[in-house]
Amino acid sequence: MIVLNIVRDCLDALLHPSARHDALTRARHRAFMAPRLLGSLAAFAAFPGYLAIRGAPSALEVLAFAWLIAPILLSWFLSRTGRYEGAYVLSSLALAGLVTAVAISTGGIESFAAIWLVVVPLEASLSASRRVVAFAAVLALSCVAALILLGHLSLLPAAPTGASMRTTLLAFGALSATLYAAGLAFASDSLARIGVDLLTREEERYRLLTRNMSDVISRHGRNGAVQFISPAAEALLGVPAARLTGHGLFERVHVADRPAYLTALSDAGRGGEACSVEFRVTRGEGGRADFIWVEMRCRPLDQASRPATAGEAEVVAVMRDVTERKVQEQALELARGAAERADAAKTRFLATMSHELRTPLNAIIGFSEMIIREHDLMLDAARRKEYAQLINDSGQHLLSVVNGILDMSKMESGNFEIMPEPFAPRAALISCCNLLALKARENGIDLVVNAAPDLPEITGDSRAFKQIMLNLVSNAIKFTERGGKVTVAALVDDAKLVLAVTDTGVGIAADDLKRIGDPFFQAGTTYQRRHEGTGLGLSIVKSLVALHGGELNVQSKVDEGTTVTVVLPRAFSKASAEYQNNVAMLTPSVRSAKQEPSSQVKKSA
């Protein structure tokens, strides 16, 4: 074993650098060089003994020994150039030349050496090259034809006489040729075994990669059908890989993404460039099936050797799960949208607050200056009282704006406390409507209250209840044109109190309806408003309702009116209130992304 390893190391040292990186090429080069070097060394070792026994050799014997030494030159040629096919061509020439020379000297086509011409193409078969085998076959046939022609023209020297000698030579020729052919057969079998072993190891290496890779590797035909898909597909899609072959994978692609999927495969096969596409694909089966996002990168299978006119080539694709990344992208998109809306809300808030604060402040400053200059303006007592009342009204308006902002800040920070106590909702409701009745009459609006006399008591914050109703009724009156109607209704439904404020006002557009209840949001354009306000009314209402564990629903159509429905539990529950308050604090985009229960503002049909 040690000797074989030493011989192998010596042969590897003689190999050309181009043959050292591939195991099969390395084995072929060794198989070519080893027998020739060993045979030549054996011929060198035997030649002195042959001379001692035989005496002076003949020209034919010198030629034979020269041929036995020639393989050293062939091995040197292969070692220096790495031209494997060229070495076999030279070997075929050397063997055919020797056989032909011996056959000419020993009887031509009837010579014992003529059978060795059969060995020439057999030896060339080890080159694994059809061109070399064809050349060797033509060479052997040419030598046979030359021997026949020389014999026919009687140009051959006299053959050795004696039947026993002739029989001995024929037996030697057949035996030696058979042994040499057997050696070639064993060498061919050894190379074949090495090739199969290397192929098996390579396949096992790729199987190991495909089994342990999280990415899915697939091979697609010209029509996009899957011809091969790696076992990782089972972990990715939750179905056996065998069910994804053919059009099985295509049938699991989301219908809306199928055109992009097929286009990517077609572009990769036709254009010869790598393509990338993201699509949704069904994971699992039956009721447990859901969609995941997959990124697929595909390229032509054999781009280098594919002719330009061959049309679409087969495609190899690598797929990976990018659902988490898509979710993050969607979350970033929602966050960006929320940030943009917050920035727009800030701009609207500044514009609104500048208007809401400047108007009463101008009135306060203007009328106070007029009172200061009462002697110059000769104001009477009635006019001074009127100006003082306007200053007071403006101050009250400023106070209400500031109180609304403070209440909203407390609610958003969680510092607004509910003080639950039993109270009669009908009395509180009528009290709020009475406070706004004068404003309704001045605007020419009919305010109607429909509340059953036997409404039971509820447990909650009576102050917050009144604030809810005052904001809702005040808004309804504000946005209802003269001659319109505002209806306030209350009823009990099981363990809940249902309040509804309906008006025949201007209504709310569908795009604005989705954002009703957001702090500082006002429907319409800020600079085109016909009504004063900070946009905090409904936002405060929504937060107060959530603090009570209730629900708010807004339905509206432009130029037809609006209905705001408030559902409050008859008995205050702190756990339910905390949940509804957390939901109310979410922006509409985040609520839709998280798919919370539809207890918030809803768009009407």
Side-chain angles (χ1 to χ4, degrees), residues 233-239 243-244 248-255 257-258 279-294 323:
E234 185 169 351
L236 178 66
L237 301 179
V239 294
R243 297 184 56 180
L244 300 173
L249 177 61
F250 172 77
E251 292 173 355
R252 302 183 72 84
V253 177
H254 194 283
V255 175
D257 298 334
R258 289 179 181 178
F279 55 88
R280 289 160 291 181
V281 63
T282 305
R283 188 182 191 281
E285 295 181 298
R288 297 176 298 173
D290 56 354
F291 282 102
I292 62 173
W293 279 96
V294 170
T323 304

PDB file of all heavy atoms in Angstrom, residues 233-239 243-244 248-255 257-258 279-294 323:
ATOM      1  N   ALA A 233     -38.829  22.607  -0.725  1.00  0.00           N
ATOM      2  CA  ALA A 233     -40.162  23.105  -1.072  1.00  0.00           C
ATOM      3  C   ALA A 233     -41.215  22.590  -0.106  1.00  0.00           C
ATOM      4  O   ALA A 233     -42.216  23.268   0.153  1.00  0.00           O
ATOM      5  CB  ALA A 233     -40.516  22.694  -2.501  1.00  0.00           C
ATOM      6  N   GLU A 234     -40.996  21.406   0.436  1.00  0.00           N
ATOM      7  CA  GLU A 234     -41.976  20.847   1.376  1.00  0.00           C
ATOM      8  C   GLU A 234     -42.040  21.678   2.649  1.00  0.00           C
ATOM      9  O   GLU A 234     -43.123  21.924   3.186  1.00  0.00           O
ATOM     10  CB  GLU A 234     -41.613  19.402   1.702  1.00  0.00           C
ATOM     11  CG  GLU A 234     -42.644  18.698   2.568  1.00  0.00           C
ATOM     12  CD  GLU A 234     -42.405  17.204   2.674  1.00  0.00           C
ATOM     13  OE1 GLU A 234     -41.536  16.695   1.934  1.00  0.00           O
ATOM     14  OE2 GLU A 234     -43.088  16.546   3.475  1.00  0.00           O
ATOM     15  N   ALA A 235     -40.883  22.116   3.145  1.00  0.00           N
ATOM     16  CA  ALA A 235     -40.875  22.963   4.338  1.00  0.00           C
ATOM     17  C   ALA A 235     -41.430  24.352   4.044  1.00  0.00           C
ATOM     18  O   ALA A 235     -42.067  24.967   4.893  1.00  0.00           O
ATOM     19  CB  ALA A 235     -39.452  23.078   4.893  1.00  0.00           C
ATOM     20  N   LEU A 236     -41.195  24.855   2.828  1.00  0.00           N
ATOM     21  CA  LEU A 236     -41.648  26.198   2.477  1.00  0.00           C
ATOM     22  C   LEU A 236     -43.149  26.253   2.234  1.00  0.00           C
ATOM     23  O   LEU A 236     -43.839  27.155   2.724  1.00  0.00           O
ATOM     24  CB  LEU A 236     -40.907  26.688   1.226  1.00  0.00           C
ATOM     25  CG  LEU A 236     -41.303  28.074   0.702  1.00  0.00           C
ATOM     26  CD1 LEU A 236     -40.914  29.155   1.704  1.00  0.00           C
ATOM     27  CD2 LEU A 236     -40.648  28.350  -0.638  1.00  0.00           C
ATOM     28  N   LEU A 237     -43.683  25.279   1.484  1.00  0.00           N
ATOM     29  CA  LEU A 237     -45.081  25.330   1.056  1.00  0.00           C
ATOM     30  C   LEU A 237     -45.980  24.334   1.773  1.00  0.00           C
ATOM     31  O   LEU A 237     -47.192  24.348   1.577  1.00  0.00           O
ATOM     32  CB  LEU A 237     -45.172  25.092  -0.461  1.00  0.00           C
ATOM     33  CG  LEU A 237     -44.396  26.098  -1.318  1.00  0.00           C
ATOM     34  CD1 LEU A 237     -44.544  25.759  -2.789  1.00  0.00           C
ATOM     35  CD2 LEU A 237     -44.872  27.513  -1.059  1.00  0.00           C
ATOM     36  N   GLY A 238     -45.404  23.438   2.572  1.00  0.00           N
ATOM     37  CA  GLY A 238     -46.227  22.528   3.351  1.00  0.00           C
ATOM     38  C   GLY A 238     -46.862  21.405   2.569  1.00  0.00           C
ATOM     39  O   GLY A 238     -47.835  20.807   3.046  1.00  0.00           O
ATOM     40  N   VAL A 239     -46.374  21.095   1.377  1.00  0.00           N
ATOM     41  CA  VAL A 239     -46.888  19.982   0.580  1.00  0.00           C
ATOM     42  C   VAL A 239     -45.684  19.206   0.038  1.00  0.00           C
ATOM     43  O   VAL A 239     -44.592  19.754  -0.096  1.00  0.00           O
ATOM     44  CB  VAL A 239     -47.771  20.464  -0.592  1.00  0.00           C
ATOM     45  CG1 VAL A 239     -49.027  21.122  -0.075  1.00  0.00           C
ATOM     46  CG2 VAL A 239     -47.007  21.423  -1.498  1.00  0.00           C
ATOM     47  N   ARG A 243     -45.775  16.947  -5.587  1.00  0.00           N
ATOM     48  CA  ARG A 243     -47.031  17.565  -6.007  1.00  0.00           C
ATOM     49  C   ARG A 243     -46.826  18.938  -6.639  1.00  0.00           C
ATOM     50  O   ARG A 243     -47.779  19.544  -7.123  1.00  0.00           O
ATOM     51  CB  ARG A 243     -47.977  17.687  -4.809  1.00  0.00           C
ATOM     52  CG  ARG A 243     -48.377  16.343  -4.222  1.00  0.00           C
ATOM     53  CD  ARG A 243     -49.375  16.488  -3.117  1.00  0.00           C
ATOM     54  NE  ARG A 243     -50.561  17.205  -3.551  1.00  0.00           N
ATOM     55  CZ  ARG A 243     -51.601  17.474  -2.751  1.00  0.00           C
ATOM     56  NH1 ARG A 243     -51.569  17.098  -1.494  1.00  0.00           N
ATOM     57  NH2 ARG A 243     -52.632  18.130  -3.209  1.00  0.00           N
ATOM     58  N   LEU A 244     -45.592  19.424  -6.624  1.00  0.00           N
ATOM     59  CA  LEU A 244     -45.305  20.735  -7.199  1.00  0.00           C
ATOM     60  C   LEU A 244     -44.709  20.640  -8.595  1.00  0.00           C
ATOM     61  O   LEU A 244     -44.508  21.666  -9.245  1.00  0.00           O
ATOM     62  CB  LEU A 244     -44.332  21.503  -6.295  1.00  0.00           C
ATOM     63  CG  LEU A 244     -44.831  21.773  -4.872  1.00  0.00           C
ATOM     64  CD1 LEU A 244     -43.721  22.391  -4.036  1.00  0.00           C
ATOM     65  CD2 LEU A 244     -46.047  22.680  -4.884  1.00  0.00           C
ATOM     66  N   GLY A 248     -48.000  22.033 -10.893  1.00  0.00           N
ATOM     67  CA  GLY A 248     -48.451  22.071  -9.507  1.00  0.00           C
ATOM     68  C   GLY A 248     -48.080  23.355  -8.802  1.00  0.00           C
ATOM     69  O   GLY A 248     -48.873  23.904  -8.036  1.00  0.00           O
ATOM     70  N   LEU A 249     -46.863  23.868  -9.052  1.00  0.00           N
ATOM     71  CA  LEU A 249     -46.456  25.132  -8.427  1.00  0.00           C
ATOM     72  C   LEU A 249     -47.256  26.293  -8.996  1.00  0.00           C
ATOM     73  O   LEU A 249     -47.688  27.180  -8.248  1.00  0.00           O
ATOM     74  CB  LEU A 249     -44.961  25.348  -8.643  1.00  0.00           C
ATOM     75  CG  LEU A 249     -44.381  26.665  -8.101  1.00  0.00           C
ATOM     76  CD1 LEU A 249     -44.565  26.752  -6.593  1.00  0.00           C
ATOM     77  CD2 LEU A 249     -42.901  26.801  -8.458  1.00  0.00           C
ATOM     78  N   PHE A 250     -47.469  26.305 -10.296  1.00  0.00           N
ATOM     79  CA  PHE A 250     -48.224  27.395 -10.925  1.00  0.00           C
ATOM     80  C   PHE A 250     -49.643  27.476 -10.358  1.00  0.00           C
ATOM     81  O   PHE A 250     -50.162  28.575 -10.136  1.00  0.00           O
ATOM     82  CB  PHE A 250     -48.280  27.171 -12.436  1.00  0.00           C
ATOM     83  CG  PHE A 250     -49.191  28.114 -13.168  1.00  0.00           C
ATOM     84  CD1 PHE A 250     -48.804  29.414 -13.435  1.00  0.00           C
ATOM     85  CD2 PHE A 250     -50.451  27.710 -13.576  1.00  0.00           C
ATOM     86  CE1 PHE A 250     -49.643  30.291 -14.096  1.00  0.00           C
ATOM     87  CE2 PHE A 250     -51.298  28.575 -14.239  1.00  0.00           C
ATOM     88  CZ  PHE A 250     -50.893  29.873 -14.498  1.00  0.00           C
ATOM     89  N   GLU A 251     -50.261  26.344 -10.082  1.00  0.00           N
ATOM     90  CA  GLU A 251     -51.635  26.337  -9.568  1.00  0.00           C
ATOM     91  C   GLU A 251     -51.706  26.889  -8.154  1.00  0.00           C
ATOM     92  O   GLU A 251     -52.794  27.270  -7.705  1.00  0.00           O
ATOM     93  CB  GLU A 251     -52.190  24.916  -9.606  1.00  0.00           C
ATOM     94  CG  GLU A 251     -52.393  24.394 -11.030  1.00  0.00           C
ATOM     95  CD  GLU A 251     -52.771  22.926 -11.057  1.00  0.00           C
ATOM     96  OE1 GLU A 251     -52.777  22.303  -9.963  1.00  0.00           O
ATOM     97  OE2 GLU A 251     -53.065  22.409 -12.144  1.00  0.00           O
ATOM     98  N   ARG A 252     -50.599  26.937  -7.434  1.00  0.00           N
ATOM     99  CA  ARG A 252     -50.604  27.471  -6.079  1.00  0.00           C
ATOM    100  C   ARG A 252     -50.243  28.956  -6.028  1.00  0.00           C
ATOM    101  O   ARG A 252     -50.323  29.581  -4.972  1.00  0.00           O
ATOM    102  CB  ARG A 252     -49.623  26.686  -5.196  1.00  0.00           C
ATOM    103  CG  ARG A 252     -49.916  25.202  -5.126  1.00  0.00           C
ATOM    104  CD  ARG A 252     -48.964  24.488  -4.188  1.00  0.00           C
ATOM    105  NE  ARG A 252     -49.233  24.803  -2.809  1.00  0.00           N
ATOM    106  CZ  ARG A 252     -50.153  24.201  -2.056  1.00  0.00           C
ATOM    107  NH1 ARG A 252     -50.884  23.227  -2.572  1.00  0.00           N
ATOM    108  NH2 ARG A 252     -50.342  24.559  -0.801  1.00  0.00           N
ATOM    109  N   VAL A 253     -49.820  29.523  -7.174  1.00  0.00           N
ATOM    110  CA  VAL A 253     -49.525  30.956  -7.239  1.00  0.00           C
ATOM    111  C   VAL A 253     -50.831  31.742  -7.225  1.00  0.00           C
ATOM    112  O   VAL A 253     -51.818  31.337  -7.852  1.00  0.00           O
ATOM    113  CB  VAL A 253     -48.699  31.286  -8.504  1.00  0.00           C
ATOM    114  CG1 VAL A 253     -48.450  32.787  -8.607  1.00  0.00           C
ATOM    115  CG2 VAL A 253     -47.369  30.541  -8.474  1.00  0.00           C
ATOM    116  N   HIS A 254     -50.838  32.841  -6.504  1.00  0.00           N
ATOM    117  CA  HIS A 254     -52.033  33.695  -6.445  1.00  0.00           C
ATOM    118  C   HIS A 254     -52.437  34.119  -7.855  1.00  0.00           C
ATOM    119  O   HIS A 254     -51.590  34.439  -8.692  1.00  0.00           O
ATOM    120  CB  HIS A 254     -51.738  34.931  -5.594  1.00  0.00           C
ATOM    121  CG  HIS A 254     -52.951  35.709  -5.194  1.00  0.00           C
ATOM    122  ND1 HIS A 254     -53.612  36.558  -6.055  1.00  0.00           N
ATOM    123  CD2 HIS A 254     -53.640  35.761  -4.021  1.00  0.00           C
ATOM    124  CE1 HIS A 254     -54.634  37.111  -5.434  1.00  0.00           C
ATOM    125  NE2 HIS A 254     -54.674  36.638  -4.191  1.00  0.00           N
ATOM    126  N   VAL A 255     -53.742  34.121  -8.098  1.00  0.00           N
ATOM    127  CA  VAL A 255     -54.242  34.403  -9.449  1.00  0.00           C
ATOM    128  C   VAL A 255     -53.733  35.749  -9.960  1.00  0.00           C
ATOM    129  O   VAL A 255     -53.339  35.880 -11.126  1.00  0.00           O
ATOM    130  CB  VAL A 255     -55.785  34.356  -9.459  1.00  0.00           C
ATOM    131  CG1 VAL A 255     -56.315  34.762 -10.828  1.00  0.00           C
ATOM    132  CG2 VAL A 255     -56.286  32.965  -9.093  1.00  0.00           C
ATOM    133  N   ASP A 257     -50.991  37.185  -9.307  1.00  0.00           N
ATOM    134  CA  ASP A 257     -49.537  37.201  -9.510  1.00  0.00           C
ATOM    135  C   ASP A 257     -49.074  36.241 -10.590  1.00  0.00           C
ATOM    136  O   ASP A 257     -47.880  36.200 -10.893  1.00  0.00           O
ATOM    137  CB  ASP A 257     -48.823  36.850  -8.196  1.00  0.00           C
ATOM    138  CG  ASP A 257     -49.104  37.865  -7.103  1.00  0.00           C
ATOM    139  OD1 ASP A 257     -49.398  39.025  -7.455  1.00  0.00           O
ATOM    140  OD2 ASP A 257     -49.029  37.514  -5.919  1.00  0.00           O
ATOM    141  N   ARG A 258     -49.975  35.461 -11.165  1.00  0.00           N
ATOM    142  CA  ARG A 258     -49.561  34.480 -12.169  1.00  0.00           C
ATOM    143  C   ARG A 258     -48.957  35.117 -13.421  1.00  0.00           C
ATOM    144  O   ARG A 258     -47.970  34.596 -13.955  1.00  0.00           O
ATOM    145  CB  ARG A 258     -50.755  33.584 -12.533  1.00  0.00           C
ATOM    146  CG  ARG A 258     -51.128  32.630 -11.412  1.00  0.00           C
ATOM    147  CD  ARG A 258     -52.317  31.759 -11.776  1.00  0.00           C
ATOM    148  NE  ARG A 258     -52.665  30.871 -10.665  1.00  0.00           N
ATOM    149  CZ  ARG A 258     -53.684  30.024 -10.678  1.00  0.00           C
ATOM    150  NH1 ARG A 258     -54.449  29.934 -11.763  1.00  0.00           N
ATOM    151  NH2 ARG A 258     -53.932  29.259  -9.622  1.00  0.00           N
ATOM    152  N   PHE A 279     -44.031  37.117  -5.643  1.00  0.00           N
ATOM    153  CA  PHE A 279     -45.430  36.738  -5.827  1.00  0.00           C
ATOM    154  C   PHE A 279     -45.921  36.000  -4.581  1.00  0.00           C
ATOM    155  O   PHE A 279     -45.123  35.561  -3.742  1.00  0.00           O
ATOM    156  CB  PHE A 279     -45.610  35.862  -7.075  1.00  0.00           C
ATOM    157  CG  PHE A 279     -44.740  34.632  -7.103  1.00  0.00           C
ATOM    158  CD1 PHE A 279     -45.166  33.446  -6.534  1.00  0.00           C
ATOM    159  CD2 PHE A 279     -43.490  34.667  -7.701  1.00  0.00           C
ATOM    160  CE1 PHE A 279     -44.369  32.319  -6.558  1.00  0.00           C
ATOM    161  CE2 PHE A 279     -42.681  33.544  -7.733  1.00  0.00           C
ATOM    162  CZ  PHE A 279     -43.127  32.366  -7.155  1.00  0.00           C
ATOM    163  N   ARG A 280     -47.241  35.878  -4.496  1.00  0.00           N
ATOM    164  CA  ARG A 280     -47.851  35.145  -3.383  1.00  0.00           C
ATOM    165  C   ARG A 280     -48.151  33.714  -3.815  1.00  0.00           C
ATOM    166  O   ARG A 280     -48.550  33.483  -4.955  1.00  0.00           O
ATOM    167  CB  ARG A 280     -49.145  35.830  -2.956  1.00  0.00           C
ATOM    168  CG  ARG A 280     -48.940  37.163  -2.252  1.00  0.00           C
ATOM    169  CD  ARG A 280     -50.176  38.014  -2.271  1.00  0.00           C
ATOM    170  NE  ARG A 280     -50.454  38.484  -3.626  1.00  0.00           N
ATOM    171  CZ  ARG A 280     -51.472  39.267  -3.937  1.00  0.00           C
ATOM    172  NH1 ARG A 280     -52.324  39.649  -3.008  1.00  0.00           N
ATOM    173  NH2 ARG A 280     -51.660  39.660  -5.189  1.00  0.00           N
ATOM    174  N   VAL A 281     -47.963  32.795  -2.884  1.00  0.00           N
ATOM    175  CA  VAL A 281     -48.187  31.388  -3.177  1.00  0.00           C
ATOM    176  C   VAL A 281     -48.868  30.761  -1.965  1.00  0.00           C
ATOM    177  O   VAL A 281     -48.628  31.160  -0.818  1.00  0.00           O
ATOM    178  CB  VAL A 281     -46.850  30.678  -3.510  1.00  0.00           C
ATOM    179  CG1 VAL A 281     -45.924  30.703  -2.325  1.00  0.00           C
ATOM    180  CG2 VAL A 281     -47.093  29.253  -3.976  1.00  0.00           C
ATOM    181  N   THR A 282     -49.742  29.797  -2.234  1.00  0.00           N
ATOM    182  CA  THR A 282     -50.493  29.150  -1.166  1.00  0.00           C
ATOM    183  C   THR A 282     -49.583  28.224  -0.372  1.00  0.00           C
ATOM    184  O   THR A 282     -48.845  27.422  -0.932  1.00  0.00           O
ATOM    185  CB  THR A 282     -51.660  28.342  -1.742  1.00  0.00           C
ATOM    186  OG1 THR A 282     -52.458  29.198  -2.558  1.00  0.00           O
ATOM    187  CG2 THR A 282     -52.517  27.766  -0.626  1.00  0.00           C
ATOM    188  N   ARG A 283     -49.666  28.333   0.942  1.00  0.00           N
ATOM    189  CA  ARG A 283     -48.932  27.429   1.823  1.00  0.00           C
ATOM    190  C   ARG A 283     -49.926  26.569   2.587  1.00  0.00           C
ATOM    191  O   ARG A 283     -50.867  27.074   3.172  1.00  0.00           O
ATOM    192  CB  ARG A 283     -48.070  28.203   2.810  1.00  0.00           C
ATOM    193  CG  ARG A 283     -47.147  27.294   3.614  1.00  0.00           C
ATOM    194  CD  ARG A 283     -46.335  28.076   4.637  1.00  0.00           C
ATOM    195  NE  ARG A 283     -45.297  27.252   5.213  1.00  0.00           N
ATOM    196  CZ  ARG A 283     -45.494  26.345   6.170  1.00  0.00           C
ATOM    197  NH1 ARG A 283     -46.714  26.156   6.637  1.00  0.00           N
ATOM    198  NH2 ARG A 283     -44.487  25.622   6.635  1.00  0.00           N
ATOM    199  N   GLY A 284     -49.704  25.260   2.587  1.00  0.00           N
ATOM    200  CA  GLY A 284     -50.614  24.351   3.265  1.00  0.00           C
ATOM    201  C   GLY A 284     -51.754  23.939   2.358  1.00  0.00           C
ATOM    202  O   GLY A 284     -51.803  24.249   1.164  1.00  0.00           O
ATOM    203  N   GLU A 285     -52.713  23.231   2.947  1.00  0.00           N
ATOM    204  CA  GLU A 285     -53.841  22.709   2.193  1.00  0.00           C
ATOM    205  C   GLU A 285     -55.112  22.854   3.008  1.00  0.00           C
ATOM    206  O   GLU A 285     -55.080  22.951   4.244  1.00  0.00           O
ATOM    207  CB  GLU A 285     -53.621  21.224   1.844  1.00  0.00           C
ATOM    208  CG  GLU A 285     -52.464  20.979   0.901  1.00  0.00           C
ATOM    209  CD  GLU A 285     -52.296  19.514   0.571  1.00  0.00           C
ATOM    210  OE1 GLU A 285     -52.042  18.737   1.505  1.00  0.00           O
ATOM    211  OE2 GLU A 285     -52.420  19.158  -0.600  1.00  0.00           O
ATOM    212  N   GLY A 286     -56.236  22.824   2.301  1.00  0.00           N
ATOM    213  CA  GLY A 286     -57.533  22.834   2.964  1.00  0.00           C
ATOM    214  C   GLY A 286     -57.767  24.107   3.745  1.00  0.00           C
ATOM    215  O   GLY A 286     -57.397  25.210   3.347  1.00  0.00           O
ATOM    216  N   GLY A 287     -58.387  23.946   4.926  1.00  0.00           N
ATOM    217  CA  GLY A 287     -58.724  25.103   5.750  1.00  0.00           C
ATOM    218  C   GLY A 287     -57.517  25.780   6.359  1.00  0.00           C
ATOM    219  O   GLY A 287     -57.594  26.918   6.806  1.00  0.00           O
ATOM    220  N   ARG A 288     -56.353  25.101   6.377  1.00  0.00           N
ATOM    221  CA  ARG A 288     -55.156  25.695   6.960  1.00  0.00           C
ATOM    222  C   ARG A 288     -54.326  26.457   5.937  1.00  0.00           C
ATOM    223  O   ARG A 288     -53.255  26.957   6.255  1.00  0.00           O
ATOM    224  CB  ARG A 288     -54.290  24.604   7.581  1.00  0.00           C
ATOM    225  CG  ARG A 288     -54.968  23.875   8.748  1.00  0.00           C
ATOM    226  CD  ARG A 288     -54.091  22.748   9.258  1.00  0.00           C
ATOM    227  NE  ARG A 288     -53.873  21.760   8.206  1.00  0.00           N
ATOM    228  CZ  ARG A 288     -53.041  20.743   8.329  1.00  0.00           C
ATOM    229  NH1 ARG A 288     -52.348  20.590   9.433  1.00  0.00           N
ATOM    230  NH2 ARG A 288     -52.895  19.884   7.334  1.00  0.00           N
ATOM    231  N   ALA A 289     -54.776  26.504   4.693  1.00  0.00           N
ATOM    232  CA  ALA A 289     -53.994  27.152   3.634  1.00  0.00           C
ATOM    233  C   ALA A 289     -54.008  28.667   3.815  1.00  0.00           C
ATOM    234  O   ALA A 289     -55.021  29.263   4.158  1.00  0.00           O
ATOM    235  CB  ALA A 289     -54.551  26.778   2.265  1.00  0.00           C
ATOM    236  N   ASP A 290     -52.884  29.288   3.590  1.00  0.00           N
ATOM    237  CA  ASP A 290     -52.780  30.741   3.589  1.00  0.00           C
ATOM    238  C   ASP A 290     -51.712  31.132   2.573  1.00  0.00           C
ATOM    239  O   ASP A 290     -51.011  30.293   2.024  1.00  0.00           O
ATOM    240  CB  ASP A 290     -52.432  31.280   4.981  1.00  0.00           C
ATOM    241  CG  ASP A 290     -51.151  30.655   5.532  1.00  0.00           C
ATOM    242  OD1 ASP A 290     -50.616  29.735   4.885  1.00  0.00           O
ATOM    243  OD2 ASP A 290     -50.689  31.099   6.597  1.00  0.00           O
ATOM    244  N   PHE A 291     -51.610  32.430   2.314  1.00  0.00           N
ATOM    245  CA  PHE A 291     -50.670  32.926   1.308  1.00  0.00           C
ATOM    246  C   PHE A 291     -49.418  33.457   1.997  1.00  0.00           C
ATOM    247  O   PHE A 291     -49.487  34.119   3.036  1.00  0.00           O
ATOM    248  CB  PHE A 291     -51.308  34.032   0.469  1.00  0.00           C
ATOM    249  CG  PHE A 291     -52.253  33.522  -0.579  1.00  0.00           C
ATOM    250  CD1 PHE A 291     -53.619  33.583  -0.385  1.00  0.00           C
ATOM    251  CD2 PHE A 291     -51.778  32.962  -1.748  1.00  0.00           C
ATOM    252  CE1 PHE A 291     -54.501  33.114  -1.342  1.00  0.00           C
ATOM    253  CE2 PHE A 291     -52.650  32.489  -2.712  1.00  0.00           C
ATOM    254  CZ  PHE A 291     -54.009  32.561  -2.512  1.00  0.00           C
ATOM    255  N   ILE A 292     -48.270  33.137   1.385  1.00  0.00           N
ATOM    256  CA  ILE A 292     -47.006  33.714   1.814  1.00  0.00           C
ATOM    257  C   ILE A 292     -46.372  34.397   0.610  1.00  0.00           C
ATOM    258  O   ILE A 292     -46.686  34.088  -0.537  1.00  0.00           O
ATOM    259  CB  ILE A 292     -46.049  32.648   2.394  1.00  0.00           C
ATOM    260  CG1 ILE A 292     -45.695  31.609   1.307  1.00  0.00           C
ATOM    261  CG2 ILE A 292     -46.645  31.983   3.610  1.00  0.00           C
ATOM    262  CD1 ILE A 292     -44.619  30.633   1.748  1.00  0.00           C
ATOM    263  N   TRP A 293     -45.469  35.321   0.891  1.00  0.00           N
ATOM    264  CA  TRP A 293     -44.751  36.026  -0.175  1.00  0.00           C
ATOM    265  C   TRP A 293     -43.453  35.290  -0.472  1.00  0.00           C
ATOM    266  O   TRP A 293     -42.724  34.891   0.442  1.00  0.00           O
ATOM    267  CB  TRP A 293     -44.443  37.465   0.234  1.00  0.00           C
ATOM    268  CG  TRP A 293     -45.598  38.396   0.060  1.00  0.00           C
ATOM    269  CD1 TRP A 293     -46.499  38.787   0.994  1.00  0.00           C
ATOM    270  CD2 TRP A 293     -45.976  39.055  -1.151  1.00  0.00           C
ATOM    271  NE1 TRP A 293     -47.416  39.639   0.458  1.00  0.00           N
ATOM    272  CE2 TRP A 293     -47.127  39.836  -0.862  1.00  0.00           C
ATOM    273  CE3 TRP A 293     -45.468  39.063  -2.443  1.00  0.00           C
ATOM    274  CZ2 TRP A 293     -47.759  40.609  -1.818  1.00  0.00           C
ATOM    275  CZ3 TRP A 293     -46.097  39.843  -3.404  1.00  0.00           C
ATOM    276  CH2 TRP A 293     -47.231  40.607  -3.089  1.00  0.00           C
ATOM    277  N   VAL A 294     -43.164  35.093  -1.750  1.00  0.00           N
ATOM    278  CA  VAL A 294     -41.971  34.370  -2.204  1.00  0.00           C
ATOM    279  C   VAL A 294     -41.231  35.244  -3.216  1.00  0.00           C
ATOM    280  O   VAL A 294     -41.861  35.851  -4.097  1.00  0.00           O
ATOM    281  CB  VAL A 294     -42.349  33.015  -2.829  1.00  0.00           C
ATOM    282  CG1 VAL A 294     -41.142  32.373  -3.508  1.00  0.00           C
ATOM    283  CG2 VAL A 294     -42.897  32.076  -1.776  1.00  0.00           C
ATOM    284  N   THR A 323     -41.937  36.711   3.353  1.00  0.00           N
ATOM    285  CA  THR A 323     -43.164  37.210   3.977  1.00  0.00           C
ATOM    286  C   THR A 323     -42.847  38.216   5.074  1.00  0.00           C
ATOM    287  O   THR A 323     -43.488  39.274   5.164  1.00  0.00           O
ATOM    288  CB  THR A 323     -43.967  36.036   4.555  1.00  0.00           C
ATOM    289  OG1 THR A 323     -44.222  35.086   3.521  1.00  0.00           O
ATOM    290  CG2 THR A 323     -45.285  36.521   5.134  1.00  0.00           C
TER     291      THR A 323
END
